Amino acid sequence: MSWLPLATFGLFAAGAGVLCYVLVANVEPQPEYPELMTDLVRLLGLGIALGGLAIGAVFLRAAAGAYVS
């Protein structure tokens, strides 16, 4: 059962990455902000989303290794 906390955190991190991507993908340019700001928010959100997915994948791989052992 040592794989359960690893798998739980991995799924949570991957889910947070997907949520961040969905939120940033739907950002619309606002007239009171420069368009560069919108692009930077999208880029920052994409980086956070990819980081969450990568961390989730690492923990899920560790959980799979702990499950087999």
Side-chain angles (χ1 to χ4, degrees):
M1 290 299 278
S2 66
W3 60 271
L4 188 60
L6 294 170
T8 302
F9 185 78
L11 287 175
F12 179 76
V18 169
L19 175 67
C20 185
Y21 176 74
V22 168
L23 291 176
V24 173
N26 292 322
V27 170
E28 299 273 337
Q30 300 297 317
E32 61 267 12
Y33 297 119
E35 192 166 329
L36 178 64
M37 240 175 123
T38 304
D39 294 338
L40 289 175
V41 166
R42 284 186 184 147
L43 186 62
L44 181 64
L46 182 62
I48 292 170
L50 288 175
L53 287 172
I55 290 170
V58 167
F59 272 86
L60 287 174
R61 183 161 172 92
Y67 183 73
V68 171
S69 297

